[in-house]
């Protein structure tokens, strides 16, 4: 009985593979930078709201701005615009933290099929990831509509009620300390482990993997995104601050402890707000 052996990689083969990996990395990085840049530009320009985010951020610090501005009228078109605003915001905020996973996924695809273009399934993976956040964006837009109908969210897209603001902070802080948050964060912080356990071949498999990874990131960060209702949905300081916080929580060595400490701070802040609201009645 004769057996077959795989031919060993020659120096030439290794050089070609290294060149392919560098090219694939460049394609993925360039695509990520382009998408994130366009997303941030659209947000800064106001995401179609008619007022730039810079102006919204400046007006947020002015007293009685909610009383001076008219509340937007919700129509199917405006609802679609608000959904798009949320989704593009999620793209801008979440793609930086997902970049290590996407680069590792592209490398794994190149290793499996040397002649395959790994940035194609990587695109499907990214589409699945962003699809999960698209579902969240639809829910966030619906919640924004509901809060506005109850007069709990002003024209400046910030909470107008101290009880609501305190509850959002407290809920976000407590979620940072829950076991579910910990499990989701571990998956987000361990891209190699996720790929080893959840690998599926083909483009549909890549899309499904992206959807699953997006679900873990959603479980990790959805309450943090809720803080936008407190600080201002179009407030650049809050958007950039939360994006930076999420990136650090997912990437730095002690990110899980960083998230827990922040959770305690959010919870204490929320309790103080609720206490102040109760004392003011």
């Amino acid at each position: 009985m004769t057996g077959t052996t795989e031919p060993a990689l020659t120096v030439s083969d290794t050089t070609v593979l290294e060149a392919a990996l560098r090219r694939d990395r460049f394609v993925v990085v360039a695509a990520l930078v382009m998408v994130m840049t366009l997303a941030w530009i659209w947000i800064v320009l106001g995401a179609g709201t008619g007022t730039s985010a810079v102006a919204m951020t400046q007006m947020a610090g002015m007293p009685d701005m909610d009383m001076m501005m008219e509340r937007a009228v919700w129509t199917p078109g405006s609802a679609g615009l608000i959904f798009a605003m949320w989704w593009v915001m999620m793209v801008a905020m979440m793609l930086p933290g997902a970049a290590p996973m996407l680069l590792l996924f592209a490398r794994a695809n190149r290793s499996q099929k040397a002649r395959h273009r790994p940035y194609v399934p990587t695109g499907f993976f990214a589409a699945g990831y962003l699809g999960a956040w698209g579902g969240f964006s639809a829910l966030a837009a619906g919640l924004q509509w509901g809060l506005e109908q109850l007069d709990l969210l002003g024209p400046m897209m910030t909470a107008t009620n101290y009880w609501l603001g305190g509850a959002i902070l407290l809920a976000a802080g407590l979620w940072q300390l829950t076991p579910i948050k910990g499990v989701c964060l571990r998956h987000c912080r361990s891209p190699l482990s996720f790929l080893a356990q959840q690998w599926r071949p083909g483009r549909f498999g890549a899309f499904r993997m992206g959807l699953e990874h997006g679900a873990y990131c959603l479980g990790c960060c959805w309450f943090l995104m809720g803080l936008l209702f407190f600080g201002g949905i179009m407030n650049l300081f809050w958007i950039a601050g939360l994006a930076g916080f999420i990136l650090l929580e997912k990437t730095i060595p002690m990110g899980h402890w960083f998230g827990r400490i922040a959770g305690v701070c959010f919870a204490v802040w929320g309790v103080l707000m609720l206490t102040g609201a109760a004392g003011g009645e």
Side-chain angles (χ1 to χ4, degrees):
M1 184 174 180
T2 61
T4 59
T5 59
E6 294 290 336
L9 286 175
T10 65
V11 174
S12 177
D13 292 333
T14 303
T15 303
V16 171
L17 180 59
E18 289 175 349
L21 287 172
R22 287 195 295 269
R23 182 196 66 194
D24 298 335
R25 190 181 301 113
F26 172 78
V27 172
V28 174
V29 170
L32 285 172
V33 170
M34 181 183 68
V35 171
M36 287 187 292
T37 300
L38 291 175
W40 278 106
I41 289 174
W42 198 58
I43 291 171
V44 171
L45 293 177
T49 60
T51 306
S52 72
V54 175
M56 292 281 283
T57 304
Q58 292 173 341
M59 290 187 293
M62 300 179 183
D64 301 325
M65 281 304 302
D66 279 326
M67 298 177 62
M68 297 169 59
M69 295 184 63
E70 294 184 4
R71 190 179 300 276
V73 178
W74 281 74
T75 64
S78 64
L81 182 62
I82 292 297
F83 163 72
M85 177 192 73
W86 274 100
W87 201 0
V88 173
M89 196 182 303
M90 296 304 102
V91 171
M93 297 175 70
M94 297 307 300
L95 267 187
M101 171 65 80
L102 292 168
L103 290 170
L104 187 60
F105 183 80
R107 185 181 182 90
N109 271 279
R110 168 61 68 183
S111 300
Q112 289 214 344
K113 295 184 178 181
R115 296 181 181 179
H116 188 58
R117 294 180 178 178
Y119 42 81
V120 175
T122 303
F124 279 85
F125 185 100
Y129 179 81
L130 297 179
W133 282 102
F136 168 82
S137 300
L139 293 175
L143 181 59
Q144 181 177 339
W145 174 83
L147 291 174
E148 287 189 11
Q149 302 309 303
L150 295 172
D151 289 328
L152 295 176
L153 200 69
M156 294 296 297
M157 300 185 191
T158 56
T160 58
N161 184 289
Y162 277 96
W163 287 102
L164 176 61
I168 291 172
L169 285 167
L170 180 59
L174 293 178
W175 182 257
Q176 290 291 104
L177 308 176
T178 61
I180 298 176
K181 161 74 181 192
V183 170
C184 292
L185 182 60
R186 279 196 297 273
H187 277 83
C188 292
R189 287 175 55 85
S190 307
L192 184 60
S193 175
F194 175 85
L195 292 181
Q197 296 174 10
Q198 307 295 333
W199 184 266
R200 291 180 176 84
R203 296 179 180 181
F204 178 75
F207 180 84
R208 184 174 173 183
M209 289 175 66
L211 199 61
E212 291 177 358
H213 183 60
Y216 280 117
C217 285
L218 184 56
C220 177
C221 303
W222 69 303
F223 260 113
L224 291 174
M225 296 305 176
L227 290 172
L228 290 170
F229 288 107
F230 169 74
I233 296 171
M234 288 297 292
N235 187 315
L236 283 176
F237 292 126
W238 277 89
I239 297 172
L242 286 173
F245 172 81
I246 291 168
L247 180 63
L248 291 174
E249 188 181 40
K250 288 184 177 183
T251 56
I252 64 175
M254 298 297 288
H256 59 294
W257 286 111
F258 177 64
R260 286 177 174 271
I261 293 171
V264 172
C265 293
F266 287 142
V268 170
W269 190 2
V271 169
L272 292 175
M273 281 197 68
L274 293 173
T275 303
E281 289 185 350

